[in-house]
Amino acid sequence: MQLHQLRYFVAVAEVRHFTQAADLVGITQPSLSKQIHALETGLGAPLFERVRGNIALTSAGEVLLPLAKRILADVDTATREVQELVGLRRGRVRLGATPSLATSLAPPVLRRFRDAHPTVDLRVEESGSQDLVRDLLRGDLDLALIIMPSAGTDPGLRADPILRESLVVASVDPLPGAPDGGELRITDLRDQPLVMFREGYDLRDATLQACREAGFEPRLSVDGGELDAVLSFVEAGLGVALVPGVAVARRPGIRVTRLARPGVRRTIAVARRRDVVPTHAGRELRRILLEYVHDATFGNELPPGVEPLP
């Protein structure tokens, strides 16, 4: 098994077409087919099969694909690390963040990083925590700002808690049980129509868990949406939603109501793959992130509803 064979295999698996994969990796189609055949011979199992004219992975191919991507990601990381050390090229760092953190915590951190390291290539992915965890494990991200799940993170990750974030109730009109400046209990949402986030969104899990622990199943008015869509649905009067306080800071049309203690709080963590040594750029971004959290804490500059962990 050779690295170039794994690259060819991943290319075919992603585009499901031998000629397109050959163009993607810069070789001829017969050469690519020959290398795939050599890989299959070495492994002792076919990796692809044709189903009604389409290319599909066999069971052996399904097993190999995530392993091949991880191996190639590790090789790329090792190459960048050595090249950074000898100064052959500029560094690169790939940061993931949830939508609320991408618009609140990430910008000042990335500003500090850019000021200190103007030649490093910065790439940012905005998505839900579950998607970010998947991308970390696949080697597609170096660091991610995620929400810690109640069941704990994947053992393949190292996740360091740094902040705690409170959720608030977003609505257009005042809600029964909460006069202006007052607080709501989760049970006050029993009869309220809720706008719900899409499957796989950690805010969906947090909302459902809070309602069920309070003894009721929420009544959904709209089911499915990213953060911006959910807030727009709330603005349209379609229902209320549990959201991070930072998400509604620039939404004057939305009324914010705090939750009475214990409320619904989430733990923000900075995560990376446990089995991969971070690049210089990745280590530096993490250092600057922690430095910013420290400075913002003592300067009272953390976003609303966010507090440092001891």
Side-chain angles (χ1 to χ4, degrees):
M1 183 185 303
Q2 300 180 34
L3 286 175
H4 69 274
Q5 292 174 338
L6 291 180
R7 294 192 189 278
Y8 300 162
F9 162 70
V10 170
V12 176
E14 289 181 340
V15 302
R16 302 301 171 100
H17 196 282
F18 275 80
T19 301
Q20 292 178 12
D23 291 339
L24 190 64
V25 298
I27 63 172
T28 64
Q29 188 270 330
S31 296
L32 181 138
S33 296
K34 181 178 179 181
Q35 290 298 324
I36 294 293
H37 178 69
L39 178 61
E40 292 175 324
T41 300
L43 292 172
L47 300 173
F48 298 103
E49 60 183 356
R50 293 187 179 272
V51 180
R52 298 178 182 177
N54 297 318
I55 301 297
L57 287 169
T58 63
S59 56
E62 294 282 1
V63 170
L64 179 61
L65 183 58
L67 297 174
K69 286 185 175 181
R70 182 172 297 182
I71 290 170
L72 294 174
D74 289 345
V75 170
D76 288 344
T77 298
T79 301
R80 290 197 309 273
E81 183 77 2
V82 172
Q83 289 176 337
E84 287 174 14
L85 282 173
V86 298
L88 294 179
R89 58 177 289 188
R90 67 182 184 180
R92 181 188 73 175
V93 63
R94 302 161 299 174
L95 174 69
T98 63
S100 61
L101 296 175
T103 58
S104 59
L105 182 59
V109 171
L110 295 181
R111 177 72 267 174
R112 283 195 181 195
F113 185 87
R114 169 61 69 224
D115 289 344
H117 305 283
T119 63
V120 173
D121 183 16
L122 276 175
R123 302 186 185 181
V124 178
E125 177 179 334
E126 179 183 342
S127 191
S129 288
Q130 295 179 31
D131 295 336
L132 295 176
V133 166
R134 177 203 63 204
D135 291 341
L136 279 171
L137 292 172
R138 289 196 315 198
D140 295 335
L141 293 173
D142 300 304
L143 289 174
L145 290 166
I146 65 170
I147 304 301
M148 294 275 286
S150 56
T153 55
D154 188 286
L157 295 182
R158 173 180 170 179
D160 299 315
I162 55 174
L163 297 165
R164 184 172 288 117
E165 176 183 55
S166 296
L167 299 187
V168 298
V169 181
S171 66
V172 172
D173 301 314
L175 298 176
D180 287 345
E183 296 180 337
L184 280 173
R185 298 167 299 173
I186 287 293
T187 51
D188 292 327
L189 301 180
R190 184 188 302 270
D191 299 320
Q192 291 292 327
L194 261 65
V195 178
M196 185 56 67
F197 295 88
R198 65 168 172 81
E199 293 281 354
Y201 226 68
D202 54 278
L203 282 167
R204 179 188 183 93
D205 296 338
T207 301
L208 292 176
Q209 180 179 345
C211 292
R212 289 166 181 168
E213 288 179 353
F216 69 96
E217 197 68 23
R219 180 164 63 92
L220 306 185
S221 63
V222 182
D223 189 0
E226 303 281 345
L227 181 59
D228 280 344
V230 166
L231 293 176
S232 295
F233 296 152
V234 171
E235 286 176 320
L238 293 171
V240 306
L242 278 181
V243 300
V246 297
V248 291
R250 297 182 180 88
R251 297 269 189 163
I254 292 181
R255 176 184 295 269
V256 173
T257 306
R258 296 189 304 274
L259 288 169
R261 289 186 177 275
V264 181
R265 300 195 295 176
R266 311 187 303 168
T267 299
I268 299 168
V270 54
R272 65 171 178 83
R273 252 179 66 181
R274 188 180 296 276
D275 61 342
V276 173
V277 177
T279 64
H280 285 309
R283 289 197 298 271
E284 181 64 2
L285 178 58
R286 184 180 183 278
R287 184 192 68 78
I288 288 176
L289 167 66
L290 297 179
E291 178 185 76
Y292 169 78
V293 169
H294 176 272
D295 293 348
T297 298
F298 286 94
N300 198 27
E301 296 174 354
L302 286 175
V306 176
E307 60 185 21
L309 288 172

